[in-house]
């Protein structure tokens, strides 16, 4: 007798019924770039289709996120003023704080996540304070805590530290609690690799390091046990959710981390992953939507509970 797995693939209705992995709009987070200024919506050349918005223009894109009922938006601030210690990052009227306030005022039900990092705000483009030509972990913690508290005061539901300093989650948790923000969640970038896939983002956010690279604080692409260690440490320190980043090239890491923790795990499908698909689609070499959807289902199949993606708005509504 011939055993026939193909029977289950006969019709779309049956294929849909037996599918093992499903996507839903609520599992997607859309990253948004907010730059200082007024009346600005500008293209990001290395990320076709993505824009930088001034805070007053933000409602235009937030409305789409709210309508499509995606999980939330992840806001990145691009300030006018940069200095050695990234002081615009914790300015109560800074660009990210304005963006969070506008967002919570106009769309209170939309979950707002603030990116907590210094690289967009420092003149040297590193994610922490510089001492003796390298990033000083421990003095950076206090600054990151200030940034997180200022975002929580502006109304952020979740803060997402992407700096990769050791001990950042604990420092931020203690600062939030001390300022009465016990309910603000921390979604930590626990597992973040020193990846060349961040290239387009650095153009978008103007955050490329002025000297050196980020290999002293971001992870080595060859490592996977270290990912489990980083994830467990951040969870012990109080992370409510964790991020593994990048997405597609690190599915093995995502799966391994997912199997070793009991908090929701997000995968960040980063700028380079987006731009590769866009570029090939513009050349007529790939079908953009089909490839983006397949990438998303692959990330979910590997274990992501949440997918942070520049395709979030395009894909929401494509699933059913
Ligand atoms: C900031 C930060 C980066 C990204 C998210 N937060 C860039 C970096 O570490 O250089 C990259 C996101 C993307 O490429 O989409 N530290």
């Amino acid at each position: 007798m011939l055993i026939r797995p193909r029977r289950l693939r006969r019709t779309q209705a049956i294929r849909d019924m037996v599918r093992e992995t499903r996507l839903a709009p609520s599992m997607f987070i859309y990253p948004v770039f907010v730059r200082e200024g007024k009346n600005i919506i500008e293209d990001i050349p290395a990320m076709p289709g993505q824009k930088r918005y001034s805070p007053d223009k933000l409602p235009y894109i937030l409305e789409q996120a709210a309508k499509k009922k995606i999980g939330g938006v992840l806001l990145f601030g691009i300030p006018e003023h940069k200095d050695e210690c990234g002081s615009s990052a914790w300015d109560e009227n800074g660009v990210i704080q304005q963006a969070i306030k506008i967002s919570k005022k106009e769309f209170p039900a939309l979950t707002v996540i603030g990116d907590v990092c210094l690289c967009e705000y420092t003149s040297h483009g590193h994610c922490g304070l510089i001492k003796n030509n390298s990033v000083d972990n421990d003095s950076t913690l206090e600054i990151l805590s200030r940034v997180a508290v200022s975002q929580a005061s502006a109304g952020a539901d979740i803060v997402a530290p992407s700096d990769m300093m050791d001990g950042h989650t604990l420092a931020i948790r203690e600062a939030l609690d001390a300022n009465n923000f016990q309910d603000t969640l921390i979604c930590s970038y626990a597992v973040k690799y020193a990846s060349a896939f961040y290239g387009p983002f650095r153009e978008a956010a103007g955050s490329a390091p002025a000297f050196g690279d980020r290999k002293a604080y971001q992870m080595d692409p060859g490592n996977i046990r270290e990912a489990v260690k980083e994830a467990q440490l951040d969870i012990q320190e109080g992370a409510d959710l964790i991020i593994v980043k990048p997405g597609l090239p690190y599915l093995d890491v995502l799966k391994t981390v997912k199997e070793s923790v009991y908090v929701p795990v997000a995968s960040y499908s980063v700028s380079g992953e987006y731009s590769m698909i866009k570029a090939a689609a513009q050349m007529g070499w790939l079908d953009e939507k089909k490839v983006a959807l397949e990438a998303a289902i692959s990330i979910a199949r590997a274990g992501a509970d949440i997918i942070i993606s520049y395709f979030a708005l395009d894909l929401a509504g494509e699933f059913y």
Side-chain angles (χ1 to χ4, degrees):
M1 189 190 77
L2 191 61
I3 296 171
R4 297 183 182 276
R6 290 179 52 185
R7 276 184 199 128
L8 282 173
R9 301 179 204 137
R10 272 181 47 232
T11 68
Q12 189 60 46
I14 295 174
R15 290 193 290 272
D16 286 347
M17 181 176 71
V18 300
R19 169 168 265 182
E20 296 172 42
T21 308
R22 296 169 205 272
L23 298 171
S26 58
M27 70 195 285
F28 280 85
I29 291 173
Y30 183 58
V32 182
F33 299 98
V34 195
R35 55 153 290 170
E36 225 153 307
K38 275 214 167 74
N39 203 20
I40 301 167
I41 301 184
E42 65 187 7
D43 290 340
I44 300 169
M47 300 179 71
Q50 301 305 306
K51 319 258 181 202
R52 298 187 199 95
Y53 302 87
S54 53
D56 57 322
K57 289 290 179 188
L58 204 50
Y60 160 78
I61 192 77
L62 296 177
E63 185 179 9
Q64 295 184 39
K67 266 198 191 137
K68 297 196 171 188
K69 294 201 172 9
I70 62 167
V73 288
L74 171 58
L75 303 180
F76 290 96
I78 308 166
E80 224 38 274
H81 168 79
K82 302 192 186 212
D83 57 27
E84 285 282 301
C85 59
S87 60
S88 315
W90 69 85
D91 178 347
E92 64 177 275
N93 290 316
V95 61
I96 184 85
Q97 289 77 5
Q98 288 177 40
I100 293 168
K101 282 180 209 158
I102 288 176
S103 180
K104 287 317 291 185
K105 180 164 170 269
E106 304 281 327
F107 304 95
L110 180 66
T111 296
V112 171
I113 308 167
D115 176 73
V116 174
C117 197
L118 297 183
C119 59
E120 298 102 312
Y121 302 88
T122 49
S123 43
H124 45 74
H126 277 287
C127 305
L129 300 180
I130 300 292
K131 272 191 193 160
N132 302 324
N133 282 325
S134 67
V135 172
D136 187 66
N137 190 91
D138 297 13
S139 57
T140 301
L141 297 179
E142 202 245 320
I143 306 280
L144 293 169
S145 305
R146 272 191 226 170
V147 177
V149 169
S150 78
Q151 293 186 2
S153 318
D157 300 292
I158 305 178
V159 291
S162 65
D163 50 276
M164 283 302 276
M165 296 303 122
D166 291 336
H168 63 172
T169 303
L170 181 63
I172 289 171
R173 184 72 268 161
E174 285 180 347
L176 288 173
D177 289 355
N179 287 278
N180 260 323
F181 295 114
Q182 286 89 350
D183 290 338
T184 305
L185 300 171
I186 301 178
C187 175
S188 143
Y189 290 71
V191 180
K192 179 173 175 184
Y193 285 87
S195 172
F197 285 94
Y198 307 151
F201 175 96
R202 291 180 188 172
E203 186 201 285
S207 65
F211 65 90
D213 53 40
R214 304 205 205 290
K215 289 182 185 162
Y217 43 105
Q218 298 182 348
M219 288 174 53
D220 183 334
N223 295 353
I224 185 162
R225 284 178 303 167
E226 190 185 12
V228 176
K229 178 178 157 191
E230 287 274 7
Q232 288 176 344
L233 278 174
D234 268 11
I235 294 164
Q236 275 167 23
E237 290 179 24
D240 301 288
L241 313 93
I242 59 169
I243 299 175
V244 174
K245 179 180 173 190
L248 267 196
Y250 293 82
L251 294 187
D252 56 331
V253 178
L254 175 64
K255 187 170 164 72
T256 303
V257 167
K258 175 67 186 281
E259 284 166 357
S260 52
V261 302
Y262 294 94
V263 298
V265 178
S267 167
Y268 195 147
S269 185
V270 300
S271 57
E273 298 172 57
Y274 172 83
S275 298
M276 285 195 303
I277 295 174
K278 278 283 178 183
Q282 281 182 355
M283 295 300 289
W285 295 338
L286 283 179
D287 180 319
E288 178 182 325
K289 208 153 239 178
K290 284 186 180 151
V291 172
L293 200 54
E294 187 176 329
I297 200 93
S298 299
I299 292 169
R301 192 191 60 234
D305 302 293
I306 298 160
I307 302 174
I308 305 171
S309 168
Y310 301 96
F311 285 115
L313 297 180
D314 302 328
L315 292 184
E318 291 287 313
F319 313 134
Y320 30 77

